[in-house]
Amino acid sequence: MNKDINRVFHYHEVTKHSQQRYARSLGYMDWSTQPDPFREYQGTQKTVLPLAIENATIPYSLLDADNPSAPLCKEALSQLLQFSLAIAAWKSSNTSQWAVRCNASSGNLHPTEAYLILPALADISQHSSVIHYAPKEHTLELLAKFESDIWQQFPKGTFFLALSSIAWREVWKYGERAFRYVNLDAGHAWQSVVLSAKMLGWHTTRLDSLDDAVMAKLLGLDQKERFFETEHPDMVLAISPTEISPKSDISELITALPDRYEGIANKLSPSMHEWEIIPQIIEATSTKEIPQKELQKFSVQREPTKESKEVVLKRRSVHVMKSDISTITQKQFHTILASVNGSLDGKRNAAHLCIFVHRVDGYKSGLYILLRDEADKESLQSEMHSDFLWQTCDLENLYFLKEDDYHFASKAISCSQDIASDGSFSLGMLCRFSEEIVNYGPHRYKELYWECGVIGQQLYLEATSQGLSGTGIGCYLDDTMHSLLGLKNNKFQILYHFTVGRGFVDSRIMTLPAYADRI
């Protein structure tokens, strides 16, 4: 087993929470070093994007239909970004004000940044360009111009959107466990882009062929003199009117890029607390080895609902669930789970949902599992408690394991958070783990969290479309959950928790429109 794989397993073990201790963090909020949640490149040409809030969007229920493609233009790019990575609203309480974005983020800290690689486009640049998206003002910041004929290899209207992460934004609050949340947030952002692209009739594909060094060069992140805080690349997404192969290689762009980009990244904090394990795990997971097997994506059958933009803009994390009215219908339960039952990213699923049902009409209170890959059933049955029932339910791939009242257990496992027990149901995302990392390399560790983040973002939106609330839970007692399931090794590991119910809206917190000065 190579050194980097060992480092991944070591990192995962030492950053587990338990009843005896939580993963190491500062232990308090150092407000003097709180990172700015908005990246800005000073000294760049800026393009203010037109707001898309008045644009009509297709019904949320028709997102997976064969919708006509919009042309690639500034207005379409604006809509893509506004309904995926932009500010959805501002919140205000007393003297405090903070932004809520369309893409979910652990602690609302938003480590994820977005970049566009565009062909020449009217009103943006006469040349191919690398551009940073600045959500605070909904603007584009031009970093580099270049000439390339690579666009001829792809359908007209194709461009690339890259996601990167600034780990410090999460490390500031969460310490050593933060790398987990950074990659969950990358998955949230990825799925946000996928769904916003669907509103425009565009297809999104993550390119497998680029390693981190090539992506860093492409985005200018290797030019260390332009940054105070380290920013590392995550993925490049090809967005096009038609499907594109994930094996498409765009590394030839590197030879066309200038040696130095425009703009100096703003300093997000006056100083940083160093956690040695964070750069180590970033380095260990930076190289791809074997790409995952491709599968067909699936479509979700939904009842007619609101406009897509309305669902996206109303997505919120909640801190309190109304336990007295959190019973939901069987149909709502099935619709939410069906939305993540198939492959969301076109790859073989690694994550399954272990579900604590509290208040769902037609379902006994108890423990269930949604198998997102039936090939794992035999292995899970042998690894989990032998007395689990594995009874089929009315939803495909959903199994009833054990009848019991899991209110206390689900709350205790989720770091004593009431939201895990006061909602309709909560769940843990259980992933094939050790064999995935050994077989596919240490970079697979990040990808497993991306898959869980993609599922989480989808659950957020599906709950919102049903008039419900969802919230991701990153704080949970890892091995306590494993013990409840009967797991005794790391063949499968829980990587993310989530809860769905009816959220309590605090009337003391005001909601203000995003970009109000431009409306």
Side-chain angles (χ1 to χ4, degrees):
M1 191 178 298
N2 72 33
K3 178 184 70 172
D4 287 337
I5 288 176
N6 283 328
R7 289 163 83 178
V8 167
F9 289 148
H10 171 72
Y11 172 82
H12 192 70
E13 284 299 314
V14 301
T15 58
K16 286 181 174 180
H17 287 329
S18 73
Q19 292 175 320
Q20 289 72 41
R21 59 144 186 90
Y22 279 5
R24 288 204 318 150
S25 65
L26 200 59
Y28 63 92
M29 306 292 280
D30 182 3
W31 298 110
S32 67
T33 60
Q34 182 180 14
D36 188 333
F38 296 105
R39 166 70 86 207
E40 176 188 357
Y41 282 91
Q42 298 157 354
T44 54
Q45 174 186 318
K46 301 183 189 302
T47 301
V48 178
L49 293 173
L51 294 181
I53 194 66
E54 298 299 328
N55 293 8
T57 56
I58 60 176
Y60 183 74
S61 58
L62 297 180
L63 274 181
D64 292 314
D66 186 15
N67 297 302
S69 298
L72 176 58
C73 59
K74 183 172 73 171
E75 290 74 17
L77 281 176
S78 175
Q79 178 175 313
L80 173 75
L81 294 166
Q82 186 165 0
F83 297 149
S84 59
L85 304 173
I87 297 172
W90 285 90
K91 294 288 186 176
S92 177
S93 178
N94 297 324
T95 58
S96 299
Q97 191 175 77
W98 62 96
V100 177
R101 302 196 206 179
C102 295
N103 54 310
S105 173
S106 308
N108 200 33
L109 296 172
H110 289 283
T112 309
E113 295 291 327
Y115 297 80
L116 300 172
I117 300 94
L118 299 174
L121 200 60
D123 300 323
I124 293 180
S125 176
Q126 296 178 354
H127 309 272
S128 297
S129 57
V130 179
I131 290 173
H132 173 252
Y133 173 58
K136 186 175 184 180
E137 304 297 339
H138 194 49
T139 60
L140 302 180
E141 299 175 329
L142 181 62
L143 303 181
K145 295 183 290 186
F146 62 96
E147 302 296 339
S148 174
D149 59 3
I150 194 171
W151 308 109
Q152 298 174 16
Q153 302 174 25
F154 298 98
K156 182 179 180 181
T158 299
F159 64 100
F160 307 106
L161 187 151
L163 299 177
S164 64
S165 294
I166 304 171
W168 164 241
R169 284 192 177 129
E170 296 280 2
V171 173
W172 168 77
K173 179 177 181 180
Y174 296 114
E176 292 188 341
R177 194 173 168 97
F179 186 72
R180 297 173 174 224
Y181 305 151
V182 166
N183 287 289
L184 286 173
D185 283 357
H188 292 148
W190 178 9
Q191 184 66 359
S192 294
V193 171
V194 168
L195 293 180
S196 188
K198 286 182 178 181
M199 296 184 206
L200 293 157
W202 292 345
H203 299 267
T204 305
T205 305
R206 181 171 69 87
L207 301 184
D208 289 336
S209 59
L210 305 177
D211 65 27
D212 283 21
V214 170
M215 288 190 289
K217 178 72 174 176
L218 180 62
L219 305 181
L221 303 182
D222 61 341
Q223 300 169 28
K224 302 299 184 183
E225 68 279 6
R226 299 171 55 239
F227 300 87
F228 179 71
E229 298 87 1
T230 300
E231 184 174 335
H232 60 272
D234 288 320
M235 64 187 80
V236 173
L237 307 173
I239 301 178
S240 178
T242 59
E243 292 279 3
I244 286 178
S245 169
K247 296 181 176 62
S248 300
D249 187 0
I250 62 169
S251 58
E252 69 179 69
L253 285 175
I254 299 301
T255 59
L257 298 172
D259 292 333
R260 180 180 169 85
Y261 285 16
E262 298 296 321
I264 301 296
N266 59 325
K267 191 175 183 179
L268 305 179
S269 292
S271 62
M272 295 182 290
H273 302 285
E274 298 295 335
W275 296 91
E276 184 179 357
I277 199 171
I278 296 298
Q280 289 176 352
I281 188 63
I282 290 174
E283 180 185 11
T285 56
S286 64
T287 303
K288 295 184 183 69
E289 295 185 14
I290 304 170
Q292 288 291 286
K293 180 181 178 182
E294 294 176 45
L295 299 171
Q296 292 295 315
K297 297 184 181 181
F298 78 122
S299 297
V300 182
Q301 301 299 317
R302 302 181 176 95
E303 293 297 315
T305 56
K306 310 173 183 70
E307 267 196 76
S308 300
K309 69 178 181 184
E310 184 178 351
V311 175
V312 166
L313 294 173
K314 286 187 175 180
R315 183 216 63 82
R316 299 286 186 274
S317 296
V318 297
H319 301 290
V320 179
M321 292 286 190
K322 298 178 182 178
S323 59
D324 56 333
I325 60 168
S326 271
T327 298
I328 64 172
T329 67
Q330 184 181 95
K331 189 173 186 179
Q332 288 174 314
F333 184 56
H334 286 177
T335 299
I336 292 169
L337 295 184
S339 75
V340 298
N341 200 358
S343 175
L344 296 175
D345 62 358
K347 306 292 185 182
R348 182 188 171 194
N349 292 330
H352 310 284
L353 308 188
C354 297
I355 306 166
F356 299 115
V357 169
H358 302 312
R359 303 170 184 85
V360 177
D361 287 340
Y363 276 85
K364 300 174 182 177
S365 295
L367 180 64
Y368 296 73
I369 187 168
L370 181 72
L371 291 188
R372 298 180 63 250
D373 187 339
E374 280 280 343
D376 284 336
K377 183 179 179 181
E378 184 176 338
S379 180
L380 283 165
Q381 286 177 315
S382 66
E383 296 289 332
M384 297 168 77
H385 285 307
S386 59
D387 61 348
F388 283 167
L389 300 175
W390 290 91
Q391 292 179 354
T392 57
C393 299
D394 290 338
L395 179 68
E396 183 182 10
N397 300 332
L398 181 64
Y399 296 88
F400 175 50
L401 300 181
K402 183 178 181 180
E403 182 177 1
D404 207 342
D405 183 344
Y406 283 98
H407 284 84
F408 177 79
S410 60
K411 174 181 174 179
I413 288 170
S414 292
C415 300
S416 299
Q417 296 179 80
D418 289 328
I419 53 173
S421 58
D422 286 351
S424 307
F425 65 94
S426 61
L427 58 89
M429 300 181 195
L430 181 65
C431 293
R432 287 192 312 275
F433 189 74
S434 57
E435 291 179 1
E436 290 289 302
I437 293 166
V438 170
N439 291 339
Y440 297 107
H443 190 272
R444 184 70 179 133
Y445 186 59
K446 294 174 63 172
E447 294 172 1
L448 292 176
Y449 276 103
W450 293 351
E451 181 177 338
C452 291
V454 164
I455 294 170
Q457 184 70 21
Q458 185 64 41
L459 290 174
Y460 267 115
L461 295 178
E462 213 64 41
T464 302
S465 75
Q466 297 288 316
L468 303 170
S469 301
T471 293
I473 303 174
C475 186
Y476 54 87
L477 309 182
D478 300 60
D479 287 338
T480 303
M481 181 66 176
H482 296 145
S483 178
L484 181 144
L485 298 172
L487 303 175
K488 296 181 174 62
N489 54 51
N490 69 349
K491 187 172 183 178
F492 294 92
Q493 294 280 281
I494 291 283
L495 300 189
Y496 194 18
H497 277 232
F498 203 91
T499 183
V500 173
R502 300 186 187 278
F504 171 77
V505 178
D506 191 338
S507 60
R508 296 170 298 177
I509 299 177
M510 294 178 58
T511 299
L512 306 172
Y515 314 109
D517 58 331
R518 295 174 54 189
I519 297 176

